[in-house]
């Protein structure tokens, strides 16, 4: 299978620049199941992502291994702390306070470098709730994994295509060259859509590279361009890397951020979606009421300059309602694209994916 057709848990083999070992608690057989749409794996050969960093709502702790329903185990993609409504609810104490009112004694958080890694933990039963991008969430659901969509937390999230210095200045100049992105992410979906629109998908090689390694790879000239996230794009631009394109210039290519839960968890906690969404709605309204405080928190968490965060995250992108119409429209478009390209194994109705209100 070609590199530009891979939206698996990891890109492996010669197309992958960044390779890491599987967490020891996940067996090779589980990993094979999780290599969504990638080449087949055999024992001892699978490459996986960094070990999970688990953090308690108040202090560091390992990911909860038991299925104790008194604990909510939440995974998220990103920096040392979650951002957006979930991160704000955690920081302000809203999440823990309100969940304790509903009978939960504890909340644990686990950080993942990307969405496909978080998918692994959901499938392995190590998480109850996951906060991740639209592409990995859709790919997992399309394989029949039993998750339910709780909420769209952010929509119209911009992806950027940034080139190396003294390199290409247009899409056409990238023909015959290597473009990297974090595979399985909304930036990956943007890149594939962009290349398809420009009719040059067959003329470039798409490889996997974690965002933490992108700047160095561009500086060395290892890749001609990198498709990156909403905050890293403006940051690289400020560092002198030319921007070739952004998803803001293309209808339907921007991303959405989602929160999903496992059906196994929701069977035991059928009223969780309604309670959890009420908490995140409160948090979304609160952060918008205190924009400077939130931007400071977001900047400190992601380690990007404050001015970059303000440019990359218009607060209107953060949803106060669980399923904003514009976000749902973007999500449907992303799903259709992934299915049409064979990147999502099967189609499904978004309405069937949404968690039922009790």
């Amino acid at each position: 299978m070609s590199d530009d057709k891979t939206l698996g848990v990891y890109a492996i083999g010669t197309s992958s620049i960044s390779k890491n070992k599987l967490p020891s608690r996940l067996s090779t057989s589980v990993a094979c199941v999780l290599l969504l749409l990638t080449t087949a794996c055999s024992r001892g050969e699978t490459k996986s992502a960094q070990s999970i960093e688990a953090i308690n709502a108040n202090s560091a702790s390992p990911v909860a291994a038991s299925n104790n329903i008194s604990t909510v185990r939440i995974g998220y993609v990103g920096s040392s702390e979650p951002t957006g409504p979930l991160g704000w609810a955690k920081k302000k104490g809203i999440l823990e306070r309100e969940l304790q009112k509903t009978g939960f004694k504890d909340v644990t958080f686990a950080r993942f470098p990307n969405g496909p890694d978080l998918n692994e933990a959901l499938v392995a039963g190590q998480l109850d709730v996951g906060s991740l991008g639209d592409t990995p969430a859709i790919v997992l659901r399309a394989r029949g994994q039993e998750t339910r969509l709780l909420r769209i937390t952010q929509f119209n999230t911009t992806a950027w295509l940034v080139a190396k210095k003294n390199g290409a200045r247009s899409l056409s100049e990238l023909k015959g060259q290597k473009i990297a992105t974090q595979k399985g992410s909304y930036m990956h979906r943007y890149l594939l859509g962009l290349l398809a629109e420009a009719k040059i998908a067959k003329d470039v090689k798409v490889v996997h590279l974690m965002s933490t390694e992108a700047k160095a790879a561009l500086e060395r000239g290892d890749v001609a361009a990198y498709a990156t996230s909403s905050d890293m794009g403006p940051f690289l631009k400020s560092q002198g890397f030319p921007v070739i394109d952004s998803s803001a210039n293309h209808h339907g290519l921007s991303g959405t951020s989602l929160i999903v839960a496992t059906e196994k968890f929701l069977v035991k906690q059928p009223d969780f979606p309604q309670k959890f969404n009420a908490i995140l709605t409160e948090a979304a309204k609160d952060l918008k009421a205190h924009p400077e405080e939130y931007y400071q928190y977001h900047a400190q968490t992601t380690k990007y300059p404050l001015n970059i965060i303000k440019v990359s995250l218009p607060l209107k992108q953060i949803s106060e309602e669980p399923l904003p119409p514009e976000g749902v429209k973007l999500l449907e478009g992303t799903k259709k694209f992934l299915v049409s390209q064979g990147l999502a194994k099967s189609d499904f109705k978004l309405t069937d994916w949404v968690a039922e209100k009790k």
Side-chain angles (χ1 to χ4, degrees), residues 154-171:
Q154 185 177 339
F155 57 94
N156 275 332
T157 308
T158 304
W160 300 82
L161 184 62
V162 181
K164 66 180 182 180
K165 297 175 182 178
N166 302 317
R169 294 296 183 273
S170 67
L171 279 172

Side-chain angles (χ1 to χ4, degrees), residues 297-348:
Y297 167 75
H298 195 113
Q300 291 170 2
T301 299
T302 61
K303 311 302 182 187
Y304 286 111
L306 181 61
N307 65 311
I308 296 295
I309 297 303
K310 288 185 176 181
V311 168
S312 66
L313 180 62
L315 293 185
K316 64 181 180 180
Q317 293 181 354
I318 294 178
S319 177
E320 295 180 22
E321 57 181 308
L323 297 172
E326 188 174 354
V328 171
K329 186 176 180 180
L330 271 171
L331 191 59
E332 180 64 36
T334 297
K335 178 177 67 69
K336 286 183 178 179
F337 175 83
L338 294 174
V339 171
S340 70
Q341 296 295 306
L343 301 170
K345 187 175 181 180
S346 63
D347 200 0
F348 58 90

